[in-house]
Amino acid sequence: MKILVTPRSFGKTNPELFDRLAQAGLEVIRNDTGGILSAEQMKEKLADCAGVILGVDPMDAPVLAAAPALKAIAKYGVGLDNIDLAACKERGIAVSRTVGANSNAVADYALTLMLMVARKAGLIDRRCRQKDWGKITSIDLYGKTIGIIGLGAIGRCVVKRAQGFGMKILAHDVVWDDAWAAKEGVERADVDRICREADFITLHTVLTDETRNLINAQRLASMKKTAVLINTARGGLIDEAALLAALKEGSIYGAGLDVFEQEPPADPAWYELDNLVMGSHCSSSTAGATETMGNMAVDNLLRDLGL
């Protein structure tokens, strides 16, 4: 029985994951491209596969149609926006996620981006390497207002970190737990209020038709000139053309983006910005998180394949 493994970090620090798959009688096809697979590459590699451990590679209806033997998709992560769930349901393909495996790693990275953007750490580092020891003034994080959009496992981990920085915490989620919010000192706010009032805005929600371009030109225009926008979730949550314009104009202080709609982004203007810290979709790429995600994904796949 063949399976495809697409995530580049799968088994990187714990190669015994591949031994587990082999011991279960599975023939593993690996992603040998060094990048995210295209739809055509997915079709080719999935043709004879019964299962897949999936990263952010496309799994839409045409890709699924090219994989007639597919029985199970084990997502290496939590976002399912790259999977046609309706087509999977129609075909009876089991879909699983590694919920909670990378929550602390992503929350850590979100705070890292906030600090890097606020304190201009990347710019200072680049200048110092050029022997420029000039002082660069930045902004504070401690005691400021944070707006968290999405209070799932990752958003709640961000709350804990924001508490340590003495921040006022505003948050939005479609499912609200009053008791938990009261206990943690989290104030409920809609997205528009968060955009108007928060000094740091961080996205931790899923990408759906309703949340696509959630941060648009109008909401960017409502933000403080000193606002910092962070996205470690999905690129499609932000109208990237509008954000690029805002960063170039300096209408917000800066942004930290670990995700883009197209990775890497094609527009060269992104690479010229001093008020942007970029990431290569690596917020969950820690040794601990990848090992936990890998083991959970293997567990889920073997279960759903009846092994």
Side-chain angles (χ1 to χ4, degrees):
M1 188 184 295
K2 293 182 180 179
I3 67 159
L4 172 64
V5 175
T6 75
R8 290 157 287 173
S9 63
F10 179 89
K12 196 170 185 179
T13 59
N14 52 338
E16 65 274 10
L17 289 177
F18 289 103
D19 296 332
R20 287 188 62 195
L21 295 169
Q23 288 162 8
L26 297 171
E27 178 185 345
V28 179
I29 299 170
R30 301 196 192 193
N31 175 2
D32 54 5
T33 68
I36 299 168
L37 295 176
S38 67
E40 290 307 311
Q41 289 170 322
M42 287 290 288
K43 290 176 184 179
E44 179 184 348
K45 291 181 179 294
L46 274 173
D48 301 320
C49 289
V52 56
I53 294 176
L54 183 71
V56 294
D57 322 80
M59 189 64 76
D60 55 18
V63 171
L64 287 164
L70 195 65
K71 298 178 181 177
I73 300 170
K75 181 63 188 280
Y76 182 78
V78 294
L80 301 177
D81 51 279
N82 58 323
I83 304 172
D84 189 324
L85 296 174
C88 288
K89 184 176 181 181
E90 186 176 335
R91 291 237 331 246
I93 298 170
V95 179
S96 59
R97 304 186 295 163
T98 56
V99 177
N102 64 1
S103 300
N104 279 303
V106 177
D108 281 350
Y109 201 74
L111 262 291
T112 299
L113 290 175
M114 288 180 210
L115 285 164
M116 286 192 70
V117 176
R119 298 305 308 270
K120 296 186 180 291
L123 177 61
I124 292 169
D125 175 74
R126 291 193 296 275
R127 295 275 180 86
C128 286
R129 291 171 189 272
Q130 297 165 0
K131 304 294 179 65
D132 179 352
W133 241 247
K135 297 298 181 186
I136 295 178
T137 302
S138 54
I139 61 174
D140 299 298
L141 183 72
Y142 189 86
K144 298 298 184 178
T145 297
I146 187 172
I148 303 171
I149 299 175
L151 274 181
I154 296 169
R156 291 188 176 204
C157 286
V158 174
V159 166
K160 292 295 186 183
R161 286 150 179 79
Q163 290 166 343
F165 280 86
M167 303 182 88
K168 176 181 177 180
I169 305 171
L170 304 178
H172 170 78
D173 200 289
V174 291
V175 178
W176 190 260
D177 185 336
D178 282 314
W180 180 87
K183 176 175 173 290
E184 299 296 337
V186 177
E187 183 177 343
R188 189 174 193 177
D190 62 25
V191 175
D192 288 325
R193 182 186 168 199
I194 285 173
C195 289
R196 289 193 309 269
E197 298 183 14
D199 301 295
F200 295 84
I201 300 158
T202 182
L203 309 181
H204 301 287
T205 190
V206 297
L207 178 62
T208 64
D209 289 340
E210 288 73 31
T211 61
R212 184 171 296 280
N213 289 338
L214 181 73
I215 303 301
N216 54 27
Q218 182 178 354
R219 283 177 167 150
L220 284 163
S222 74
M223 292 179 189
K224 298 178 179 180
K225 192 175 179 63
T226 53
V228 171
L229 177 63
I230 303 296
N231 189 8
T232 56
R234 285 292 184 268
L237 295 171
I238 298 174
D239 180 336
E240 291 185 355
L243 175 58
L244 183 57
L247 291 172
K248 289 168 73 173
E249 294 164 6
S251 60
I252 65 171
Y253 184 81
L257 305 178
D258 187 47
V259 287
F260 292 84
E261 285 196 275
Q262 177 186 340
E263 296 176 354
D267 192 332
W270 288 110
Y271 303 91
E272 299 167 3
L273 295 167
D274 282 336
N275 56 352
L276 171 70
V277 175
M278 303 173 78
S280 55
H281 209 132
C282 61
S283 62
S284 62
S285 297
T286 67
T290 56
E291 288 182 18
T292 303
M293 282 195 297
N295 277 301
M296 287 180 69
V298 170
D299 289 343
N300 291 340
L301 185 68
L302 295 181
R303 178 198 65 211
D304 291 340
L305 290 176
L307 302 172

